[in-house]
Amino acid sequence: MHDVLREIGATVAYGLVGIGLMALSYLAVEMTTPGRLGRQIWEERNRGAALLLSVRLLGMGAIVTVAIATSDDALGAGLADTAIFGVLGVLLTVLAFYLLDLVTPGRLGAILVDGSSVHPAGWVVAAADLAVSGVICGAVS
């Protein structure tokens, strides 16, 4: 019974770290796009904003999953590794976004959330986010 309780505690701890990293990912998308992200997605039904956030959350979920799966048996070290790789994921996806912004005519964040349809550049950003997340997953494993 003690092992089950320990595993439940570890699951809750990893879950909280994962949720915290998802919140950080949300803030990163909020920071790189104009306007209120929540309003754009839930009230204005902005598909471009929804694509950006969805891909960022999926990428973060992959990073957290691989970090957990490859973590040490020691809970504290595993949580620290998961948090570190998750923060690196957020930072590197933001860096990739700004590098794409440099080669984009206009402001990439504004282009991506302008209107209800998904701008083709949204798919490029989505691919970059997933690629960066994949690289981090590979580095973690």
Side-chain angles (χ1 to χ4, degrees):
M1 184 64 164
H2 182 265
D3 288 341
V4 171
L5 292 176
R6 187 169 46 97
E7 291 299 320
I8 290 171
T11 300
V12 169
Y14 277 115
L16 291 173
V17 169
I19 291 168
L21 290 167
M22 298 282 184
L24 186 60
S25 294
Y26 181 96
L27 292 174
V29 175
E30 180 82 61
M31 179 184 77
T32 56
T33 56
R36 300 283 307 170
L37 187 60
R39 176 176 292 143
Q40 290 175 4
I41 294 171
W42 283 275
E43 293 177 18
E44 298 171 13
R45 298 175 184 230
N46 186 310
R47 292 183 177 125
L51 173 66
L52 293 177
L53 181 59
S54 297
V55 169
R56 186 72 53 95
L57 294 176
L58 286 170
M60 181 53 62
I63 293 168
V64 169
T65 299
V66 171
I68 292 169
T70 60
S71 67
D72 295 330
D73 287 336
L75 179 60
L79 290 169
D81 287 349
T82 301
I84 289 166
F85 286 114
V87 169
L88 280 173
V90 171
L91 293 174
L92 290 173
T93 53
V94 169
L95 175 63
F97 181 89
Y98 283 126
L99 289 174
L100 284 171
D101 190 32
L102 287 175
V103 299
T104 301
R107 301 289 307 164
L108 182 58
I111 291 168
L112 296 174
V113 297
D114 183 33
S116 63
S117 64
V118 177
H119 190 282
W123 297 105
V124 174
V125 173
D129 274 3
L130 289 177
V132 168
S133 297
V135 167
I136 293 168
C137 287
V140 171
S141 63

